[in-house]
Amino acid sequence: MSPRMSRRTFPTRIRRGWLTATTAVALALTGLSAPVHAEETPPPLPESWQQDPQTTDLGAAPVGTLGWTSPGGKADPADFTLQPGAMNGTTADRVGRLDGILPTSGVSKLLAEANRTVNTASCTRDPFGTAPKPALKWCLENDDSTSREWIPQAMTGVSDAADSEQYGVGNDTNIQLYASYDNWDPGRDSNGNDVGDCNPDELEANDACNQKGVRISFVQRRADGTVKYRHVLLGWAYENGAHHISFDGVHSAEGSTKPDPNEDMQNGLHAGGMVWYGHYLYVADTRNGIRIFDMEKIMDLDPNGDGKSGDAMGADTDGVKTTSNVQDKTKIGRQNNVWYSFGYRYVMPQVAAWKFKADQSNPAGSFKCVSTGAPKASYVSLDRSTTPDRLIMGEYCRPESGYPSPGRIASFPVKDLEKRSGEVPAQGWANYLPMAGGGAQGALAIGGSLYVNQSAGHNDPGNLWRYKWSNGVLVSNGSAIKTATGAEDLYYERGAQRLWSVSEHYGPAVNADALEDGKSAPCLGLVCERVLYAHSQAQLDAP
């Protein structure tokens, strides 16, 4: 978790596509503002018009004026209450229009046509250093293991998706998903002018300037022992200035809570945690709540599977037949009757959102956290050991003077998130985390135990903490298990009894400031060793 927070001023950029002021206002009300190919920038939005799924932002409120208990103590579950995004109905209508134009792919087909290979037999990358080795360690392809652009965060899998641990028409098994955000161009802007359009040099580089947002990588262990995977881009639907339905990528910069379309793109999705449940994918949206994506709406822009442009797509309300192009990595959405997707074959659209009902007063651009009011949705996971199944949500915090909270954590009945009206309160329990120093990157409950991944910088192994509830308070349940440097979100594979995670760090990714203007940066300590890995139940139960 290493967001960049600097802003700089640079010359005017080339703009692509058209967007009217009316359209921009409509987008802002959905939680989405002008896309990268906006050719006209509308006037600033009135401050009274908030983005959805944005919470109301009250600015920083030190904890000195707010109550809290203690590390591990009880927190107020009411602070976690969620309410539906105001534009969920409109979002559903827009995705319905996309569904009528673009072909869709089921998860089984996507997995069958996975085009990347995991190295399970001779994975030499080692983010563990002096920490005990995990039960499994998988190396991604080199451009993913060492990517300065895509930083892994969240994990989930088919054990979350279905009680049977099987999914889809093929009853597919052994599936893990991990999410990565685009860190190289935060805010979809490689030069820091907060606009995000491409200059001529960047266009010539084809891919360098596009902030593609968040992608989900579908990983499957096959019957023959091989492990294959494929990337899927997350997207959101909007209506462009010509009243055509289109889509853009979600964006990974935090953005402004009161957006000025002259400067601020759609507020971003860090994707610090996710849960696959049924056919929905619930993705943590840090300051706002949860965004929902649909496995049954995954769009296939290369149904012929040949990687070439020109595949026939359908028509929108204008009746114009369209085609697709997965070769051009500089464009996204419908442009001149051609559909683009930054070169990705598959795009999964956002279909709904849940936002915090409580006011958001966590300081923006900071790791310190208030102790009451809306939390941060830093990570999520699933607990299938309880009835009903529960989605766990927690905060990444680093306590500071006046802000003692190490982070809060609570649970929701996950089935309640499938509805699109009413409120969803946290139920079951809500606590402050017991870690005095904070730094929780992921947490997962199994039975009466809570496991928490804590990062420990770029040179040292992380900690996997073990806790249990005693009279409603979280207390220690054994010493910390040393784990990977840059340990992230957690996912439990029930049948195999494995606790999965992913290590996030690669040297340039955590030295982003040194990469400006194409400069390189050396690796630090253990951070050049990004892997997927799993601890066994025996390791979790060890003294």
Side-chain angles (χ1 to χ4, degrees):
M1 181 174 294
S2 50
R4 294 178 62 190
M5 302 175 190
S6 61
R7 291 193 175 201
R8 292 159 286 153
T9 301
F10 284 85
T12 304
R13 320 275 283 235
I14 291 177
R15 300 170 182 265
R16 295 172 286 152
W18 286 90
L19 187 82
T20 66
T22 301
T23 302
V25 168
L27 291 174
L29 290 174
T30 67
L32 313 167
S33 54
V36 66
H37 45 270
E39 200 158 274
E40 284 188 334
T41 303
L45 296 177
E47 289 190 356
S48 60
W49 292 6
Q50 300 290 325
Q51 287 189 327
D52 177 36
Q54 290 298 110
T55 59
T56 301
D57 196 317
L58 296 182
V63 150
T65 63
L66 302 173
W68 86 299
T69 55
S70 62
K74 295 180 181 179
D76 188 350
D79 289 336
F80 284 79
T81 299
L82 296 168
Q83 59 188 10
M87 296 298 290
N88 279 352
T90 300
T91 299
D93 290 343
R94 290 172 176 171
V95 173
R97 285 175 65 182
L98 280 177
D99 202 29
I101 301 169
L102 303 176
T104 56
S105 170
V107 171
S108 294
K109 178 184 177 185
L110 183 158
L111 290 169
E113 300 185 6
N115 59 346
R116 306 180 76 79
T117 302
V118 168
N119 181 349
T120 62
S122 57
C123 177
T124 59
R125 297 187 180 278
D126 182 15
F128 294 89
T130 58
K133 306 309 177 190
L136 288 177
K137 185 180 66 171
W138 291 356
C139 283
L140 306 169
E141 292 200 359
N142 283 341
D143 58 340
D144 293 324
S145 290
T146 63
S147 174
R148 299 176 296 179
E149 180 176 29
W150 293 105
I151 311 301
Q153 296 289 295
M155 280 206 74
T156 186
V158 72
S159 195
D160 284 349
D163 187 58
S164 65
E165 298 186 293
Q166 299 178 341
Y167 186 82
V169 296
N171 292 320
D172 291 291
T173 60
N174 302 320
I175 309 167
Q176 285 80 33
L177 277 60
Y178 74 93
S180 306
Y181 72 92
D182 184 347
N183 180 68
W184 200 356
D185 295 324
R188 193 170 45 179
D189 176 23
S190 61
N191 282 346
N193 72 342
D194 297 325
V195 175
D197 302 310
C198 301
N199 65 33
D201 289 341
E202 290 168 333
L203 281 172
E204 186 175 352
N206 189 37
D207 194 26
C209 68
N210 294 302
Q211 208 279 39
K212 292 171 280 294
V214 174
R215 72 184 186 190
I216 309 299
S217 302
F218 286 70
V219 186
Q220 185 181 36
R221 304 190 301 274
R222 293 180 171 177
D224 63 2
T226 61
V227 180
K228 305 288 286 186
Y229 67 110
R230 182 144 201 158
H231 303 311
V232 176
L233 191 70
L234 294 186
W236 56 270
Y238 71 97
E239 190 175 84
N240 64 21
H243 304 294
H244 299 146
I245 198 66
S246 188
F247 66 84
D248 196 8
V250 299
H251 310 143
S252 56
E254 183 175 277
S256 168
T257 56
K258 295 179 180 179
D260 176 353
N262 288 312
E263 296 183 358
D264 299 312
M265 294 296 180
Q266 174 200 353
N267 278 22
L269 196 63
H270 187 70
M274 63 181 177
V275 166
W276 178 13
Y277 192 81
H279 61 90
Y280 291 118
L281 184 69
Y282 299 92
V283 181
D285 186 354
T286 309
R287 294 182 65 83
N288 307 302
I290 297 172
R291 300 199 201 184
I292 305 173
F293 300 81
D294 194 340
M295 298 283 183
E296 295 183 349
K297 303 294 183 182
I298 297 174
M299 301 176 289
D300 185 353
L301 274 75
D302 182 26
N304 292 340
D306 58 7
K308 298 179 180 179
S309 59
D311 286 16
M313 303 287 111
D316 197 5
T317 53
D318 59 353
V320 176
K321 294 289 186 179
T322 57
T323 60
S324 65
N325 184 330
V326 293
Q327 294 176 294
D328 189 336
K329 297 181 180 181
T330 68
K331 298 176 183 177
I332 185 117
R334 177 175 171 172
Q335 298 187 42
N336 298 319
N337 303 325
V338 178
W339 292 93
Y340 300 91
S341 51
F342 288 143
Y344 286 83
R345 175 174 177 176
Y346 298 105
V347 180
M348 180 161 47
Q350 178 178 325
V351 296
W354 288 95
K355 71 173 185 177
F356 296 123
K357 180 182 179 181
D359 293 332
Q360 179 62 264
S361 56
N362 278 294
S366 172
F367 297 141
K368 58 190 177 186
C369 297
V370 297
S371 295
T372 62
K376 296 178 182 177
S378 301
Y379 47 84
V380 293
S381 63
L382 188 71
D383 181 4
R384 277 189 174 270
S385 67
T386 61
T387 301
D389 299 336
R390 294 187 179 278
L391 181 140
I392 311 301
M393 177 190 289
E395 295 182 293
Y396 177 97
C397 304
R398 291 290 189 184
E400 296 183 19
S401 177
Y403 295 85
S405 175
R408 290 168 287 170
I409 189 167
S411 69
F412 302 85
V414 68
K415 288 289 289 185
D416 288 358
L417 298 173
E418 294 181 0
K419 62 184 183 180
R420 296 292 178 261
S421 62
E423 296 178 356
V424 177
Q427 296 178 8
W429 49 264
N431 290 86
Y432 295 97
L433 290 167
M435 303 136 54
Q441 298 279 15
L444 187 138
I446 308 172
S449 298
L450 181 72
Y451 299 91
V452 182
N453 252 355
Q454 179 191 45
S455 54
H458 303 143
N459 297 306
D460 298 310
N463 296 304
L464 176 59
W465 292 98
R466 297 176 287 182
Y467 301 110
K468 64 182 179 181
W469 281 269
S470 177
N471 296 320
V473 174
L474 282 169
V475 298
S476 175
N477 191 29
S479 59
I481 300 169
K482 289 297 180 181
T483 190
T485 300
E488 280 293 321
D489 194 31
L490 291 169
Y491 157 65
Y492 190 63
E493 188 181 8
R494 289 174 288 114
Q497 295 188 309
R498 296 187 183 113
L499 185 63
W500 284 88
S501 189
V502 58
S503 58
E504 71 168 327
H505 290 324
Y506 172 67
V510 296
N511 291 283
D513 290 338
L515 290 171
E516 295 172 5
D517 303 319
K519 295 178 181 178
S520 61
C523 296
L524 300 175
L526 304 174
V527 301
C528 289
E529 309 292 347
R530 185 182 294 150
V531 297
L532 302 177
Y533 66 94
H535 291 293
S536 67
Q537 188 66 51
Q539 290 174 313
L540 300 181
D541 293 339

